[in-house]
Amino acid sequence: MSGPRVEPFTALTPAELESWHALRAANPALDSPYFHPGFAAAVHAAGRPVHVAVAGDGGAPVAFLPHHREGRLLRPVGWPGADFQGPILAAGTGFRPLDLLGNGAAAYTFDHLVEAAPGFERWVVSRRPSPYLDVTGGLAGYLGRASRSGKENMGQARRRAAKAGRELGELRFVADSSDPKALARVIELKRAQYAATGAKDYFAEPDRVRLLDGLLRARDPGFGGLLSTLHAGEHLLAAHFGLRSGAVLHWWFPVYDPAFARLSPGWILLRELVAAAPALGVARIDLGRGEDEYKRRAKTGESVVCQGVVTRNPVRRAVASALSEARSIARSVRARRKP
């Protein structure tokens, strides 16, 4: 395979986009919505330029890798909000990550690379679990596969939903809402959560708000945003905005109103979404990387995502390894401190 050429996303031809779709469809490791060209298109349209490395020796392309360029650094498309990353190519196809470098680009950094990405093994410095829920068969199917903890939490969610209905008013769940006001409330609650926990505010960059707005309006059955809301009476208890492609839903921005935390509304919402999965055509809900307690309890399985950097500079690679080790130690310390 010759070195890739790099094009702005908007320069890809219809035939190249068809090749992208075909390569993704032929590789089960790429069924996440993040690998759909619609995600790259939405990020680009929101105002953050996307470039695509296109590899092939004449004829149809054999690999695509959408990315952003920040000075001499390349990042995966949608970073830091992309929970699955990697090249779009057929299973078993080779890929040379060093070919991404050149023309001033000194490194390609990744933090959610799918473990099956070929050619990246030597550049990986750490691996972390990415839990998921197999929701084939809806709530009954999920409960048949869930851990004891998952079953218990879903049972508690059912009882708390009944309590919310008695105390606050009729419970209403909308699996697929197109209400922009509800999305604005999701973003408002998420920003308040970031502020309360000291986390970096993802929505401080206006293009990220525009991204979610655009994804909410995307009604393509093959790709788009999915907004789900849970009300009790006049109160919005919880909501979630995720990405949907085919039978996969990615759990992206879940929120709940802290005023109703005693009801664990996030679990009620998740239970309702699992129950609605067959009607939505969803068979798997990817929860994204992390060792959050609710993910550990709810999951039926997990994949692995990798962190690392492609570089010819050994110092840069050593720094990446040291930072990864420091973060791993910090996570272990936090886990030991939990009651």
Side-chain angles (χ1 to χ4, degrees), residues 8 14 27-28 84-85 115 132 196 229 244 254 262 277 287 329 337:
N27 190 342
F84 286 100
Q85 303 158 1
E115 194 174 36
Y132 63 80
T229 60
R244 161 76 186 280
R262 62 187 173 81
L287 297 179
I329 292 171
R337 287 175 177 172

Side-chain angles (χ1 to χ4, degrees), residues 108-129:
Y108 171 79
T109 184
F110 52 88
D111 55 8
H112 291 78
L113 185 82
V114 290
E115 194 174 36
F120 283 85
E121 293 82 0
R122 64 178 290 203
W123 311 110
V124 171
V125 297
S126 65
R127 292 173 170 82
R128 293 180 63 190

Side-chain angles (χ1 to χ4, degrees), residues 145-165:
R145 290 179 290 271
S147 67
R148 177 180 176 182
S149 180
K151 292 183 176 73
E152 289 175 350
N153 277 271
M154 288 298 181
Q156 291 171 4
R158 176 178 53 80
R159 293 188 289 274
R160 285 169 175 156
K163 182 178 182 180

Side-chain angles (χ1 to χ4, degrees), residues 251-266:
W251 186 256
W252 204 13
F253 293 107
V255 296
Y256 66 88
D257 189 331
F260 305 105
R262 62 187 173 81
L263 295 169
S264 298

Side-chain angles (χ1 to χ4, degrees), residues 133 154 251 265-275 285 294 298:
L133 279 63
M154 288 298 181
W251 186 256
W267 274 100
I268 301 174
L269 175 75
L270 182 58
R271 184 179 186 275
E272 294 287 345
L273 194 54
V274 171
I285 300 176
Y294 82 91

Side-chain angles (χ1 to χ4, degrees), residues 133-146 154 270-285 300:
L133 279 63
D134 181 345
V135 294
T136 306
L139 186 59
Y142 166 78
L143 291 174
R145 290 179 290 271
M154 288 298 181
L270 182 58
R271 184 179 186 275
E272 294 287 345
L273 194 54
V274 171
L280 292 169
V282 170
R284 190 180 81 234
I285 300 176
T300 61

Side-chain angles (χ1 to χ4, degrees), residues 5-291:
R5 75 179 197 277
V6 177
E7 302 278 4
F9 178 83
T10 51
L12 296 182
T13 67
E16 287 170 334
L17 290 174
E18 284 299 316
S19 294
W20 184 324
H21 281 291
L23 291 169
R24 177 174 177 261
N27 190 342
L30 304 178
D31 62 357
S32 167
Y34 290 105
F35 295 115
H36 193 286
F39 179 66
V43 172
H44 188 85
R48 190 175 181 198
V50 175
H51 287 79
V52 183
V54 184
D57 292 315
V62 298
F64 298 87
L65 196 142
H67 60 273
H68 304 291
R69 181 159 181 172
E70 301 176 358
R72 302 190 68 199
L73 184 64
L74 305 182
R75 294 193 185 276
V77 63
W79 184 91
D83 289 346
F84 286 100
Q85 303 158 1
I88 290 84
L89 72 179
T93 303
F95 191 84
R96 297 194 297 259
L98 284 175
D99 287 347
L100 297 170
L101 309 184
N103 297 317
Y108 171 79
T109 184
F110 52 88
D111 55 8
H112 291 78
L113 185 82
V114 290
E115 194 174 36
F120 283 85
E121 293 82 0
R122 64 178 290 203
W123 311 110
V124 171
V125 297
S126 65
R127 292 173 170 82
R128 293 180 63 190
S130 184
Y132 63 80
L133 279 63
D134 181 345
V135 294
T136 306
L139 186 59
Y142 166 78
L143 291 174
R145 290 179 290 271
S147 67
R148 177 180 176 182
S149 180
K151 292 183 176 73
E152 289 175 350
N153 277 271
M154 288 298 181
Q156 291 171 4
R158 176 178 53 80
R159 293 188 289 274
R160 285 169 175 156
K163 182 178 182 180
R166 291 192 303 270
E167 296 182 356
L168 301 172
E170 180 185 4
L171 206 69
R172 303 189 317 279
F173 172 72
V174 179
D176 186 2
S177 171
S178 58
D179 183 359
K181 291 183 180 179
L183 178 59
R185 180 60 174 157
V186 168
I187 295 172
E188 178 185 8
L189 285 169
K190 203 67 183 177
R191 298 193 75 176
Q193 178 186 331
Y194 293 142
T197 60
K200 188 172 182 179
D201 184 355
Y202 175 83
F203 293 107
E205 301 293 334
D207 65 278
R208 296 170 186 172
V209 176
R210 292 195 296 269
L211 172 61
L212 267 63
D213 288 338
L215 288 168
L216 180 66
R217 294 193 300 270
R219 310 308 291 178
D220 185 329
F223 173 81
L226 184 74
L227 173 64
S228 302
T229 60
L230 177 72
H231 285 81
E234 63 181 11
H235 306 286
L236 177 68
L237 301 186
H240 167 255
F241 185 83
L243 288 175
R244 161 76 186 280
S245 179
V248 179
L249 170 64
H250 193 90
W251 186 256
W252 204 13
F253 293 107
V255 296
Y256 66 88
D257 189 331
F260 305 105
R262 62 187 173 81
L263 295 169
S264 298
W267 274 100
I268 301 174
L269 175 75
L270 182 58
R271 184 179 186 275
E272 294 287 345
L273 194 54
V274 171
L280 292 169
V282 170
R284 190 180 81 234
I285 300 176
D286 285 328
L287 297 179
R289 189 189 77 188
E291 293 87 17

